[in-house]
């Protein structure tokens, strides 16, 4: 219950402080679609930039691209998405509510004692792996799982639903014009594999990274930005010599976990989950799960995709996609290890970790604050510049500091209200440093820096402010 409240509090906080709004809110919102407000957009961009930098700047053999959302529909036939991108679903006849079978069973397992819950999940995974839908229905009935809305166990058979959205291109509206909104960004990388390899003179092993929107007609849309119908992915396809995929898979598992830890999140908040049921393209796969307010859930998938995609695109397009490996004098289709992380889920992870309600009460008075302890590198605003009063030349000093710093990072300037109130507002949006300029600043060129997490204040020279903030934003990988 406490955790349920935490998620609700985070959702309210995000809305109140301009991070995330329901889409089309004045029309009561669109289910599982969200808009990022002024601070949410900054946070999301900072996470995306950090990922991009870690992939494409820190690795000399990884380059980034930006492929279109619309692709030739044959791509989705070749990739298996038209035939296989389904989730088993079940409907409750009384409430007409549709559930993803794995979510329904997982939610029930979470209410059971640990051992029973785990046994149930193991059974479910075995049935999913063999696509035994009748068996899944029997498991739901035998376990007496009820619909949360109707409270009954009046279930339909388990059926498959495709998750891709489609639309028409051109004006005739024939089926031939049907195109899909990509459900993953990865295919834009596969179809450009040779373009990039040749023009970039890339040598295997090498990677191609991309960030961008993906769309899935998720049936069960809940848990805020954890599961959306329109979301953003950050994916990297790493092309390797066949036979070496296992090594690279292990290497990327480790590298990605290091990246997660570099967000300042402690190791015990993460765990690996190895897939029992492999997707139609994979020979090994695992998830990095984070302990969200609603339990451990996937943030990132690491998949060894073999040559499945390149092989199918080669076959379907009739274009040769092989690579000539000069070291061993052989042509082959590379194998692929992919890392695929949801940007929105990472935003929710960072917010869940950062959100703190702190009791600051003393013997004299009751007090509390809500603070987002977001790492400085990711914080929407890095520095708030606050002249104590609106006169006596203090705003001029503050403006000068603003002009110097805003070239380097995002700053916020504010003159109104008491300093205490201004600090609290910055705490709520996660600003790591507030600088107060007072009369003493005029005399000795020092200012007060107030640190968000410790709430400690100290005087420092005005000219050291910029470097202090830049130092706090350094990448520590
Ligand atoms: P899930 O089992 O939660 O549906 P998935 O295994 O289908 O996820 P992948 O296809 O591996 O997810 O996609 C890679 C990443 O994209 C996921 O780890 C997740 O972070 C993100 N992602 C996938 N679906 C959604 C969604 N509907 N909303 C937000 N992020 C998503």
């Amino acid at each position: 219950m406490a955790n349920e409240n935490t998620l609700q509090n985070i959702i309210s906080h995000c809305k109140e402080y301009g991070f995330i709004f329901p889409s089309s809110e004045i029309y009561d919102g669109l289910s599982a679609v969200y808009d990022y407000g002024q601070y949410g957009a900054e946070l999301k961009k900072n996470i995306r930039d950090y990922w991009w930098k870690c992939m494409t700047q820190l690795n000399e053999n990884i380059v980034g691209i930006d492929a279109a959302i619309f692709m030739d529909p044959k791509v989705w036939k070749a990739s298996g998405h038209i035939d296989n991108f389904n989730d088993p679903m079940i409907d409750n006849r009384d409430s007409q509510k549709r559930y993803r079978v794995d979510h329904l069973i997982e939610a029930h397992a979470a209410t059971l004692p640990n051992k029973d819950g785990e046994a149930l999940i193991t059974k479910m995974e075995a049935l999913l792996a063999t696509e035994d839908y009748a068996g899944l229905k029997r498991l739901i009935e035998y376990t007496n799982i009820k619909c949360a809305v109707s409270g009954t166990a009046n279930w339909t058979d388990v059926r498959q639903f495709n998750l891709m959205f489609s639309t028409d291109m051109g004006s005739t509206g024939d089926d031939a014009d049907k195109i899909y909104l990509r459900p993953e960004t990865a295919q834009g990388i596969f179809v450009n594999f040779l373009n990039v390899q040749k023009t970039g003179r890339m040598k295997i092993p090498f990677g191609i990274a991309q960030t961008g929107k993906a769309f899935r007609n998720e049936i069960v849309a809940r848990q805020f930005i954890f599961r959306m119908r329109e979301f953003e992915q950050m994916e990297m396809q790493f092309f390797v010599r066949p036979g070496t995929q296992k090594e690279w898979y292990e290497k990327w598992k480790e590298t990605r976990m290091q990246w997660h830890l570099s967000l300042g999140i402690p190791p015990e908040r993460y765990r690996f989950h190895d897939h029992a049921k492999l997707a139609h393209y994979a020979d090994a796969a695992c998830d990095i799960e984070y302990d969200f307010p609603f339990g451990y859930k996937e943030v990132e998938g690491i998949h060894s995709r073999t040559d499945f995609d390149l092989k199918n695109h080669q076959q379907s397009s009739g274009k040769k996609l092989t690579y000539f490996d000069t070291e061993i004098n052989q042509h082959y289709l590379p194998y692929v290890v992919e890392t695929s992380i949801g940007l929105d889920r990472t935003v929710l992870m960072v917010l869940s970790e950062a959100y703190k309600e702190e009791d600051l009460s003393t013997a004299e008075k009751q007090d509390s604050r809500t603070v987002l302890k977001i790492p400085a590198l990711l914080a929407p605003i890095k520095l708030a510049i606050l002249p104590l009063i609106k006169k006596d030349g203090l705003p001029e000093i503050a403006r000068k500091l603003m002009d110097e710093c805003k070239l380097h990072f995002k700053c916020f300037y504010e003159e109104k209200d008491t300093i205490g109130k201004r600090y609290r507002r910055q705490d709520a949006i996660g600003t790591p440093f507030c600088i107060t300029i007072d009369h003493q600043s005029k005399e000795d060129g020092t200012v007060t820096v107030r640190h968000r997490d410790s709430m400690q204040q100290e005087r420092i020279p005005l000219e050291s402010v910029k470097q202090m903030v830049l130092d706090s934003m350094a990448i520590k990988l």
Side-chain angles (χ1 to χ4, degrees):
M1 206 50 208
N3 288 344
E4 281 275 300
N5 286 342
T6 308
L7 181 65
Q8 281 316 314
N9 293 348
I10 291 172
I11 296 172
S12 310
H13 189 86
C14 283
K15 206 174 130 183
E16 191 179 341
Y17 287 94
F19 280 81
I20 299 163
F21 309 120
S23 157
S24 334
E25 198 191 358
I26 56 170
Y27 295 97
D28 296 332
L30 182 65
S31 168
V33 186
Y34 290 89
D35 296 340
Y36 285 83
Q38 62 277 27
Y39 298 124
E42 291 288 344
L43 172 62
K44 186 176 169 193
K45 181 180 180 304
N46 292 341
I47 295 174
R48 187 195 300 112
D49 288 351
Y50 179 49
W51 181 90
W52 184 262
K53 212 173 209 178
C54 290
M55 282 297 175
T56 68
Q57 191 171 317
L58 303 190
N59 291 292
E60 289 163 38
N61 58 350
I62 300 182
V63 292
I65 65 163
D66 184 9
I69 288 171
F70 292 157
M71 303 183 76
D72 190 308
K74 291 192 213 84
V75 166
W76 305 111
K77 184 73 188 159
S79 69
H81 283 83
I82 288 179
D83 298 323
N84 294 318
F85 194 52
N86 304 303
D87 275 332
M89 305 280 180
I90 194 164
D91 292 20
N92 182 272
R93 288 202 181 88
D94 298 321
S95 65
Q96 310 283 325
K97 234 181 122 47
R98 180 166 291 163
Y99 295 89
R100 242 176 82 171
V101 166
D102 55 336
H103 291 164
L104 185 69
I105 298 177
E106 276 169 12
H108 184 72
T111 66
L112 301 176
N114 271 355
K115 250 191 160 161
D116 298 348
E118 277 163 26
L120 180 59
I121 298 280
T122 310
K123 270 189 211 145
M124 174 190 80
E125 287 185 338
L127 293 166
L128 281 170
T130 52
E131 299 187 3
D132 180 353
Y133 298 132
L136 281 165
K137 185 178 179 191
R138 278 198 301 276
L139 183 67
I140 289 170
E141 287 176 339
Y142 173 76
T143 322
N144 199 19
I145 300 179
K146 299 208 170 90
C147 166
V149 177
S150 67
T152 71
N154 189 8
W155 299 109
T156 62
D157 286 342
V158 173
R159 285 172 299 179
Q160 298 263 51
F161 286 87
N162 197 287
L163 297 180
M164 280 198 292
F165 284 101
S166 63
T167 187
D168 301 321
M169 189 173 248
S171 56
T172 60
D174 286 351
D175 221 27
D177 295 335
K178 185 168 168 177
I179 53 167
Y180 296 93
L181 272 67
R182 65 180 179 199
E184 61 173 29
T185 57
Q187 297 304 323
I189 292 179
F190 289 123
V191 298
N192 280 299
F193 158 69
L194 266 196
N195 282 340
V196 174
Q197 188 273 319
K198 292 220 160 101
T199 56
R201 300 166 64 222
M202 309 299 291
K203 280 208 164 10
I204 272 179
F206 74 91
I208 305 178
Q210 169 166 232
T211 71
K213 287 276 173 119
F215 305 83
R216 295 183 188 180
N217 197 2
E218 299 281 3
I219 302 300
V220 186
R222 60 195 163 123
Q223 289 160 338
F224 195 35
I225 56 169
F226 180 81
R227 189 172 302 286
M228 301 156 90
R229 296 206 164 103
E230 174 181 341
F231 58 100
E232 200 166 327
Q233 289 186 314
M234 306 191 287
E235 297 198 294
M236 193 279 297
Q237 263 56 51
F238 200 72
F239 299 90
V240 306
R241 193 182 284 171
T244 63
Q245 71 270 24
K246 187 84 191 122
E247 269 163 63
W248 285 109
Y249 172 71
E250 294 301 334
K251 161 131 194 332
W252 279 109
K253 262 177 88 167
E254 193 191 311
T255 307
R256 292 305 303 151
M257 184 56 96
Q258 283 309 318
W259 185 86
H260 280 273
L261 296 173
S262 78
L263 302 175
I265 299 176
E268 63 273 16
R269 311 277 291 153
Y270 289 110
R271 70 180 190 196
F272 281 113
H273 172 249
D274 292 316
H275 288 202
K277 177 185 189 249
L278 293 174
H280 57 273
Y281 48 74
D283 79 348
C286 71
D287 300 331
I288 294 178
E289 296 185 337
Y290 167 75
D291 190 8
F292 284 99
F294 38 88
Y296 280 97
K297 296 274 182 223
E298 168 178 352
V299 195
E300 172 157 9
I302 297 153
H303 310 128
S304 175
R305 280 177 93 126
T306 67
D307 60 356
F308 176 89
D309 303 86
L310 290 180
K311 192 167 71 199
N312 286 338
H313 286 308
Q314 175 167 280
Q315 213 164 35
S316 166
S317 66
K319 306 269 163 31
K320 214 166 151 203
L321 297 179
T322 50
Y323 166 85
F324 181 65
D325 191 329
T326 48
E327 269 178 41
I328 53 171
N329 253 340
Q330 266 181 32
H331 290 276
Y332 57 76
L333 279 175
Y335 270 40
V336 171
V337 174
E338 98 175 337
T339 67
S340 172
I341 177 168
L343 176 52
D344 311 87
R345 275 190 199 177
T346 311
V347 170
L348 184 58
M349 174 175 82
V350 168
L351 285 171
S352 304
E353 192 65 29
Y355 181 87
K356 304 270 182 265
E357 291 167 12
E358 291 182 346
D359 183 0
L360 308 173
S361 300
T362 56
E364 291 82 48
K365 69 167 185 159
Q366 293 244 324
D367 197 9
S368 67
R369 70 165 180 164
T370 302
V371 53
L372 294 181
K373 296 186 170 175
I374 304 174
L377 179 65
L378 305 180
I381 308 282
K382 317 296 183 195
L383 181 69
I385 300 175
L386 316 170
L388 190 63
I389 52 168
K390 266 194 262 182
K391 50 183 189 184
D392 299 343
L394 304 188
E396 285 72 13
I397 301 175
R399 280 284 170 204
K400 215 171 140 225
L401 180 63
M402 181 84 185
D403 287 343
E404 182 197 352
C405 289
K406 73 184 181 191
L407 295 170
H408 302 272
F409 43 79
K410 186 106 179 143
C411 306
F412 185 90
Y413 180 90
E414 194 172 45
E415 297 175 340
K416 274 197 228 70
D417 282 334
T418 63
I419 279 292
K421 274 196 190 146
R422 286 186 257 173
Y423 285 161
R424 289 299 157 82
R425 279 201 293 270
Q426 294 306 316
D427 286 347
I429 61 167
T431 307
F433 304 104
C434 291
I435 294 293
T436 306
I437 289 135
D438 57 15
H439 291 95
Q440 193 185 327
S441 310
K442 281 204 326 196
E443 283 153 29
D444 64 5
T446 64
V447 292
T448 303
V449 54
R450 186 258 193 188
H451 299 269
R452 174 196 67 198
D453 295 355
S454 63
M455 297 175 34
Q456 296 285 324
Q457 300 185 20
E458 56 179 320
R459 283 204 87 90
I460 59 167
L462 186 59
E463 65 262 15
S464 69
V465 171
K466 184 184 85 191
Q467 198 53 47
M468 171 194 71
V469 179
L470 286 175
D471 289 348
S472 77
M473 291 164 57
I475 290 181
K476 297 181 197 93
L477 249 183

